[in-house]
Amino acid sequence: MSSLNKINNDVQITNSEISSECKVRYEEDVLDLIEQTKSGDYISIPNNNDISQYYIYKRTDVEDKKNAFKWNGEIRDISWYDPEETIFHIYTAEQLAGFGLLVSNGITFENCTVTVENNIDLNGYSWQPIGSPAYQKEEKKFFSEGVFKGTLNGMNHTIFGLKNAKQIPFYSFAFFMKIENACIENIIFSEVDIESNNVDMIASGVCVISINSTFSNVFVRGTIKGSSVSSISYQSVDCGFYHCKNLANLISNSVDTSIIELGGICSNLMI
């Protein structure tokens, strides 16, 4: 997940001015290099079609929490949603929360793309897993579960502070409860703070169940604690993972050691 801005041709810097450790042969190598470089560092990648040419990039800080849009824990903005459209853009934390509300209430976003246009900070507030039953105070009942079937493109942005409500005994928790025929790509979940509040709790960073879906350039950082634990997906059926990385601490606290499930990317992979 390289967050790299290609430098315009008029920038006065040449490949010879770039330190050797910031020179890579293939674009894929940037995935490893980006973990070592600092904001403002330059990286050069040779043009494989012309070895005399180099593409020069500038490292940008993908985890810029200072300028992230912060959530107040209450507002869920769905004003951006138009059922006639197929491409949607999320700019604020309130819109991200609204996205979760829409999916939980039956909007699958099938054949649609949702892009995250800014870094978002959940700001210490507990997240309602997308697709879990949504409680309606007026009628004092839960809606039915939802499933996400579209593409979520993080555009190399970061969602900070995914955490669960410690006082509510969730039996499973993740950003999504269930995705199907979906694509999750180019996104970082940082400062994840998921703590088991039930001895049988399934805990994952991105989703609990994924079916016939793909994950590409997805990074997870933080701490995830539960009985069955994974960074991206607890149970995946016919799914693919490309350039994904677990950088989170995974802790299983199951009281029954015979049922501990712990996977860096996925705990339960099925075909």
Side-chain angles (χ1 to χ4, degrees):
M1 179 185 301
S2 58
S3 180
L4 298 170
N5 291 336
K6 193 170 182 180
I7 301 302
N8 295 328
N9 294 330
D10 59 353
V11 172
Q12 298 301 309
I13 187 170
T14 65
N15 186 61
S16 62
E17 298 176 66
I18 299 174
S19 58
S20 60
E21 65 269 20
C22 289
K23 295 179 181 179
V24 295
R25 181 63 187 167
Y26 301 105
E27 192 165 359
E28 289 78 6
D29 295 334
V30 174
L31 294 171
D32 296 323
L33 180 62
I34 202 167
E35 296 298 322
Q36 307 168 25
T37 57
K38 299 178 181 179
S39 179
D41 282 353
Y42 291 95
I43 297 173
S44 69
I45 304 173
N47 180 355
N48 290 326
N49 297 319
D50 185 348
I51 60 174
S52 66
Q53 295 182 354
Y54 284 82
Y55 298 125
I56 298 177
Y57 296 80
K58 183 176 181 180
R59 168 75 157 90
T60 58
D61 191 354
V62 295
E63 296 193 39
D64 181 8
K65 186 177 181 180
K66 179 180 179 182
N67 295 314
F69 283 77
K70 298 183 183 299
W71 191 33
N72 68 359
E74 297 180 359
I75 298 177
R76 292 169 170 80
D77 179 8
I78 61 173
S79 63
W80 52 271
Y81 176 71
D82 182 345
E84 301 299 320
E85 300 294 333
T86 58
I87 298 178
F88 303 94
H89 305 279
I90 290 176
Y91 295 93
T92 68
E94 288 76 17
Q95 290 177 343
L96 182 68
F99 165 66
L101 183 63
L102 289 166
V103 176
S104 295
N105 284 281
I107 306 299
T108 66
F109 288 90
E110 187 171 9
N111 299 318
C112 295
T113 296
V114 180
T115 64
V116 179
E117 302 291 343
N118 291 300
N119 289 348
I120 291 174
D121 182 5
L122 297 180
N123 203 23
Y125 293 101
S126 302
W127 182 253
Q128 179 75 28
I130 297 177
S132 64
Y135 187 69
Q136 187 181 58
K137 293 182 179 179
E138 293 77 10
E139 298 183 15
K140 296 183 178 180
K141 67 178 182 180
F142 286 93
F143 288 104
S144 60
E145 293 186 5
V147 56
F148 179 65
K149 296 185 177 182
T151 294
L152 178 67
N153 188 342
M155 305 294 288
N156 296 329
H157 289 112
T158 301
I159 295 175
F160 294 93
L162 175 69
K163 63 181 294 185
N164 60 319
K166 305 300 188 289
Q167 71 275 16
I168 300 177
F170 281 109
Y171 287 89
S172 57
F173 182 88
F175 184 74
F176 287 103
M177 287 298 289
K178 182 179 180 181
I179 67 172
E180 185 175 353
N181 300 320
C183 177
I184 311 299
E185 59 186 5
N186 307 321
I187 193 166
I188 298 172
F189 290 88
S190 189
E191 300 182 10
V192 172
D193 178 20
I194 301 173
E195 182 179 338
S196 176
N197 47 25
N198 184 289
V199 293
D200 297 320
M201 178 173 153
I202 295 171
S204 187
V206 182
C207 69
V208 175
I209 299 174
S210 55
I211 300 173
N212 194 32
S213 298
T214 59
F215 301 85
S216 178
N217 295 331
V218 178
F219 289 5
V220 179
R221 306 176 189 271
T223 300
I224 303 174
K225 184 177 180 180
S227 174
S228 299
V229 185
S230 62
S231 67
I232 294 182
S233 177
Y234 161 66
Q235 184 180 85
S236 298
V237 182
D238 294 333
C239 293
F241 300 85
Y242 307 92
H243 299 299
C244 295
K245 185 178 291 188
N246 169 44
L247 298 169
N249 295 318
L250 305 179
I251 303 170
S252 176
N253 63 347
S254 175
V255 295
D256 184 352
T257 57
S258 66
I259 61 170
I260 289 177
E261 294 179 295
L262 191 151
I265 298 294
C266 175
S267 297
N268 196 327
L269 185 63
M270 304 173 66
I271 299 177

